[in-house]
Amino acid sequence: MRSLNKIFLMGNLGQDPELKVSSTGKPYCRLRLATSTSWMSAEDKREEKTEWHSVFTWGNTAERCALHLRKGALVFVEGSLTHWQGAQENEFFTAIQAGEVKFLNSPGRNASAKIAESLDNPGAARNHNAVAHPA
């Protein structure tokens, strides 16, 4: 039987990414990603809930994320859900293992200006690391 473990998230970073190195010497980066859902309550009030996600990137993707992303950046993440047990008996963790991270904007920059820039010079978007994925 075939199976599928695929996650798609789009949200904003809650803090700057930190580039670290694993015990085996491989670079990795943890992204704290916020996604929000809103709805109308029975009293016609707008309600909103924010979920926080731990997203891990590895290798070249981690290096590009650490170099180009900052707190507040809007990103699209494609990856898979992963779980592991911590050092304590009842300690368990869940995170997203990112396969691809698309940079949708840069904090402090006008998003429409960035879109116009990429339309004027499509090659610049590729050279600007608009998409971080394993090489």
Side-chain angles (χ1 to χ4, degrees), residues 67-132:
L67 183 63
H68 297 288
L69 294 176
R70 295 293 170 258
K71 178 180 179 178
L74 180 64
V75 297
F76 176 84
V77 173
E78 180 180 342
S80 59
L81 193 61
T82 186
H83 307 279
W84 68 95
Q85 186 170 357
Q88 307 299 319
E89 183 178 332
N90 291 324
E91 186 177 38
F92 297 94
F93 299 97
T94 301
I96 290 89
Q97 182 86 341
E100 185 172 313
V101 178
K102 293 185 182 185
F103 306 163
L104 302 180
N105 74 358
S106 297
R109 258 189 100 180
N110 183 327
S112 60
K114 183 167 181 136
I115 291 168
E117 173 186 298
S118 65
L119 292 174
D120 290 341
N121 187 2
R126 282 191 301 277
N127 295 335
H128 185 60
N129 294 307
V131 177

Side-chain angles (χ1 to χ4, degrees), residues 16-98:
D16 288 348
E18 283 186 56
L19 186 64
K20 297 184 179 185
V21 179
S22 71
S23 59
T24 60
K26 190 170 184 179
Y28 72 95
C29 190
R30 178 180 179 221
L31 307 175
R32 294 285 295 145
L33 186 67
T35 58
S36 297
T37 305
S38 62
W39 65 94
M40 295 300 287
S41 70
E43 297 82 29
D44 283 334
K45 286 182 147 181
R46 186 172 182 264
E47 303 280 340
E48 185 173 48
K49 180 179 181 182
T50 299
E51 297 281 347
W52 287 94
H53 311 277
S54 289
V55 178
F56 286 89
T57 63
W58 294 87
N60 291 336
T61 303
E63 292 171 342
R64 289 183 186 121
C65 287
L67 183 63
H68 297 288
L69 294 176
R70 295 293 170 258
K71 178 180 179 178
L74 180 64
V75 297
F76 176 84
V77 173
E78 180 180 342
S80 59
L81 193 61
T82 186
H83 307 279
W84 68 95
Q85 186 170 357
Q88 307 299 319
E89 183 178 332
N90 291 324
E91 186 177 38
F92 297 94
F93 299 97
T94 301
I96 290 89
Q97 182 86 341

